């Protein structure tokens, strides 16, 4: 914890030196212990400048995710991300969280990986997750005695949280394609998958998997995905601090989840509609029963998509793949 507090103190005085004596006094540890914490942080990728009689100043935080940096970014949260597991590489963060859930891990447990070797998107698709370029994470949710039927609402909630965080940190005009794809300029930036485990029709737990293409360059995107995929750095024209974006996503998630538990889905649904790039447009929806075409008109109280076809018929769509523009 001393490392977290030390970083907090240096971040409170950006670009300024803080003496070893002052750090020692405020942390209630010896100056030798301060030096050891600085050395530990350097191993995590933090860069410091030190000068005799002046002390230390932080000059660069690591691009690589670190436990210290993540805990600092999430310090305002009560639950989401306060227990976290950071992995260098894993087949799937979804599976990691599922295992932890079965072992009794608490609500809000977070698993992040620098790389996924078998990441999954919706409908079993592979999610390209190269090392050090994106955010590949899964969050454990334990709704209290909620029916399995509300699971789609959690998906829409996650989409709102990610979209708001991406707009805030990246400064881009991101929107949501039903139910949970985050698009910028018509190309996909983020995918979300929420998988639930139920017992007696009640949700035991849900795992929200979030994959965000953050700092991928054009050459990093597979050729077959170039027409439909993008990254936050490509859209914003600058490199994005992944740790800051993770903090923003989890903060939005926690606040929206508290709103959801207190007031139900309606306020979250209104936020989703305000960020939607689907509503009011002609779309084609590929459903298990065939393709439906028409205008997306809104969400019903469950989170399903409402569609009005050319013959004036109304449809309620609970699952399907949306193609914008019909």
């Amino acid at each position: 914890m001393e490392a977290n507090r030390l970083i907090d103190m240096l971040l409170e005085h950006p670009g300024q030196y803080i003496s070893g004596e002052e750090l020692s006094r405020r942390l209630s540890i010896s100056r030798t212990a301060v030096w050891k914490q600085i050395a530990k942080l350097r191993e995590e990728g933090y860069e410091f400048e030190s000068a005799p009689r002046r002390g230390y100043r932080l000059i660069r935080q690591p691009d690589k995710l670190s436990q210290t940096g993540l805990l600092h970014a999430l310090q305002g949260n009560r639950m989401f991300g306060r227990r976290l597991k950071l992995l260098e590489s894993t087949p799937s963060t979804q599976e990691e969280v599922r295992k932890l859930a079965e072992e009794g891990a608490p609500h809000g447990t977070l698993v992040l990986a620098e790389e996924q070797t078998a990441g999954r998107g919706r409908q079993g698709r592979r999610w390209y997750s190269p090392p050090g370029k994106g955010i590949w994470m899964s969050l454990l949710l334990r709704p209290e005695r909620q029916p399995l039927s509300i699971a789609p609402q959690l998906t829409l909630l996650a989409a709102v949280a990610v979209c708001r965080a991406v707009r805030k940190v990246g400064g881009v005009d991101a929107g949501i394609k039903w139910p949970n794809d985050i698009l910028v300029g018509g190309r996909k930036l983020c995918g979300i998958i929420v998988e639930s485990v139920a017992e007696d029709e009640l949700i035991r737990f849900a795992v929200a998997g979030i994959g965000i293409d953050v700092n991928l360059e054009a050459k990093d995107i597979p050729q077959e995905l170039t027409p439909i995929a993008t990254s936050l750095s490509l859209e914003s024209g600058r490199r994005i601090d992944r740790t800051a974006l993770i903090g923003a996503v989890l903060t939005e998630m926690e606040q929206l989840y508290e709103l959801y538990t207190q007031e139900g889905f309606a306020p979250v649904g209104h936020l989703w509609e305000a960020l939607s790039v689907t509503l009011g447009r002609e779309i084609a929806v590929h459903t298990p029963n065939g393709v439906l075409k028409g205008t997306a008109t809104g969400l019903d109280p469950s989170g399903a998509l409402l569609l009005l076809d050319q013959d004036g018929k109304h449809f309620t769509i609970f699952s399907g793949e949306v193609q914008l523009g019909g």
Side-chain angles (χ1 to χ4, degrees):
M1 293 300 294
E2 283 86 0
N4 293 338
R5 292 170 58 205
L6 191 152
I7 289 295
D8 287 344
M9 290 168 60
L10 292 168
L11 288 172
E12 288 171 5
H13 304 279
Q16 299 178 28
Y17 285 96
I18 301 180
S19 70
E21 182 179 357
E22 176 69 6
L23 292 170
S24 172
R25 184 184 65 79
R26 292 176 60 181
L27 293 172
S28 300
I29 59 177
S30 68
R31 294 183 65 173
T32 300
V34 169
W35 180 85
K36 287 181 178 179
Q37 292 298 327
I38 292 286
K40 176 184 174 183
L41 289 165
R42 279 183 168 137
E43 289 177 2
E44 293 186 4
Y46 289 87
E47 293 184 26
F48 301 91
E49 200 170 72
S50 58
R53 294 186 296 278
R54 300 185 71 185
Y56 304 93
R57 68 174 178 176
L58 178 64
I59 57 175
R60 185 173 291 114
Q61 298 184 66
D63 184 45
K64 187 173 181 177
L65 301 176
S66 73
Q67 195 92 358
T68 302
L70 289 166
L71 288 172
H72 179 268
L74 296 168
Q75 63 183 344
N77 285 15
R78 292 191 306 107
M79 299 190 73
F80 284 14
R82 297 305 296 167
R83 177 178 175 182
L84 67 88
K85 183 177 182 180
L86 176 60
L87 302 171
E88 190 67 29
S89 180
T90 185
S92 167
T93 57
Q94 286 291 95
E95 295 308 314
E96 293 285 346
V97 171
R98 183 184 286 263
K99 291 175 189 173
L100 292 174
E102 294 290 1
E103 294 167 3
H107 175 69
T109 296
L110 179 70
V111 172
L112 304 104
E114 285 285 7
E115 175 189 31
Q116 288 186 123
T117 56
R120 291 182 289 110
R122 291 178 64 239
Q123 300 183 349
R125 295 190 184 96
R126 179 174 178 266
W127 185 265
Y128 180 61
S129 316
K133 297 291 183 96
I135 293 172
W136 327 122
M137 65 182 184
S138 295
L139 179 72
L140 175 60
L141 303 173
R142 291 192 181 275
E144 292 188 12
R145 297 195 60 77
Q146 291 295 321
L148 184 59
S149 59
I150 65 99
Q153 298 176 355
L154 299 177
T155 300
L156 299 178
L157 184 154
V160 173
V162 174
C163 191
R164 285 161 63 102
V166 162
R167 283 171 162 246
K168 186 181 298 183
V169 176
V172 297
D173 188 21
I176 308 170
K177 186 183 82 169
W178 188 87
N180 55 11
D181 286 345
I182 309 301
L183 307 184
V184 180
R187 294 194 292 175
K188 188 170 177 178
L189 177 77
C190 166
I192 297 165
I193 179 172
V194 177
E195 298 174 311
S196 301
V197 174
E199 186 174 317
D200 297 329
E201 294 302 310
L202 294 177
I203 296 176
R204 284 181 53 219
F205 63 83
V207 183
I210 298 169
I212 309 174
D213 292 334
V214 183
N215 288 321
L216 277 73
E217 301 172 56
K219 63 182 178 61
D220 296 319
I221 299 175
Q223 188 172 1
E224 66 271 19
L225 298 179
T226 299
I228 59 173
T230 188
S231 76
L232 190 49
S233 63
L234 287 173
E235 297 299 328
S236 66
R238 60 186 175 87
R239 195 166 188 81
I240 302 297
D241 184 333
R242 291 185 298 152
T243 298
L245 182 53
I246 290 166
V249 170
L250 269 294
T251 297
E252 292 283 351
M253 280 281 286
E254 182 164 288
Q255 292 173 353
L256 285 172
Y257 192 84
E258 289 181 356
L259 176 67
Y260 175 70
T261 56
Q262 292 168 8
E263 300 184 28
F265 178 68
V268 175
H270 293 321
L271 291 170
W272 188 96
E273 290 177 333
L275 294 168
S276 171
V277 296
T278 306
L279 301 187
R281 295 182 62 173
E282 292 295 311
I283 63 170
V285 188
H286 298 261
T287 76
N289 298 318
V291 179
L292 293 172
K293 293 186 177 183
T295 303
T297 59
L299 296 177
D300 88 342
S302 73
L305 184 66
L306 301 176
L307 182 78
L308 178 66
D309 76 3
Q310 293 178 338
D311 297 325
K313 293 182 179 179
H314 294 271
F315 295 87
T316 302
I317 299 166
F318 294 94
S319 66
E321 188 72 17
V322 169
Q323 178 184 338
L324 299 177

